[in-house]
Amino acid sequence: MVFVLTVDQRSSRRGPDRVADVLDRLNASTAAVLRFERTAGDEFQGVLLEAGAVVDVVLDLARLQGWSIGVGAGPVDTPLPDSTRAASGTAFLCARRAVDAAKQRPVRVAVRGRSEADAADAQAVLTALVALVQRRSAQAWEAIDVVAQGHTQTEAAARLGITRQAVGQRLAAAQWDLEGELRPTAARLLLRAEGPPTAAGVAR
C-alpha cells in the first residue's frame, strides 16, 4: 500500500503557474515511488511509500502556501507504470476525494483512506501542523532552517548575527518543538488510514 498526493494550485487563474517550479523542488528532495508529475492544468500528483515523506511534502507545500493538498492512503494497481499519470487504484481515488475536500476546508489539506476513522485522525493532526507552519514569520523560518540542518542554537545565533536567546525565542514562537512531536504522530495515523494490508502488497 502507498500514499498518493493530489495537489491543486489555488487561484491559478489570477496568478502565474507555479506547478513546474514546485515539481522541480519536490522531485529533487523526495524519494517517490512515482515522481511528481503535472496531471492536468494546475494539478499534480506523486506516489510515495513512506508516511514520514508524506508529512514532509505536505508541510513543505504548506510553507510555500497557495495549494490544496489531498492525501490518499491505500493500495494501487500493479504492476506500476513508469508515469504517475498512467497509474490507478484505490489510493488514487482516495486522493481525488481528498483534494476535492481540501478545496472546501479553511486549512487546505484533507486525507482519505480505506480506514475512514484513522484518515480523519490523520487529517486532524496534519491540519494542526499546516496551520502551525503557515503562521510562522520570516524570522522564525530563518532560525528553523539553520537548526534543521543540525546546528545548535549557539551556532545558529552566530550564523544569523543574533543572540542565542533570540534564536530560542524565534523557535518558541514558531512552536518548533511541537512540530517535532506532531510529525511522527501524523505519520503513524497515515499508516493506519491505509487500512489492513493486502496479500499482494501494494496491489489492490
Side-chain angles (χ1 to χ4, degrees):
M1 291 183 287
V2 298
F3 302 96
V4 175
L5 278 82
T6 300
V7 183
D8 187 77
Q9 183 179 339
R10 296 166 53 190
S11 305
S12 57
R13 294 183 181 179
R14 298 195 296 271
D17 187 325
R18 301 169 57 202
V19 172
D21 289 341
V22 171
L23 290 178
D24 288 343
R25 177 188 179 106
L26 294 180
N27 285 324
S29 62
T30 308
V33 178
L34 292 176
R35 288 167 54 86
F36 288 93
E37 295 180 3
R38 187 191 297 267
T39 48
D42 52 9
E43 180 183 280
F44 65 88
Q45 286 185 319
V47 182
L48 305 181
L49 187 61
E50 300 295 333
V54 175
V55 178
D56 291 344
V57 170
V58 169
L59 296 189
D60 194 21
L61 291 169
R63 178 177 180 176
L64 295 174
Q65 301 200 25
W67 303 95
S68 296
I69 309 163
V71 180
V76 295
D77 297 335
T78 55
L80 288 173
D82 294 331
S83 169
T84 304
R85 292 189 297 271
S88 60
T90 301
F92 283 89
L93 298 176
C94 288
R96 169 55 54 199
R97 290 168 45 219
V99 75
D100 288 343
K103 294 174 184 178
Q104 307 303 318
R105 307 187 74 236
V107 178
R108 301 296 183 92
V109 63
V111 180
R112 296 293 184 269
R114 291 192 301 174
S115 173
E116 294 184 4
D118 290 315
D121 289 343
Q123 176 177 289
V125 177
L126 278 178
T127 297
L129 277 166
V130 169
L132 183 157
V133 163
Q134 291 183 336
R135 287 199 299 265
R136 288 174 176 163
S137 66
Q139 291 77 17
W141 278 117
E142 284 182 342
I144 288 170
D145 286 341
V146 177
V147 172
Q149 294 173 4
H151 297 289
T152 66
Q153 291 189 27
T154 300
E155 292 168 341
R159 284 173 172 263
L160 296 174
I162 58 178
T163 65
R164 183 187 181 284
Q165 182 183 24
V167 171
Q169 290 171 343
R170 291 187 185 187
L171 295 176
Q175 297 184 290
W176 173 240
D177 289 341
L178 179 58
E179 178 186 332
E181 293 173 3
L182 290 178
R183 275 177 174 266
T185 303
R188 286 194 297 270
L189 291 170
L190 284 172
L191 286 172
R192 295 176 187 174
E194 291 180 323
T198 60
V202 299
R204 185 168 61 186

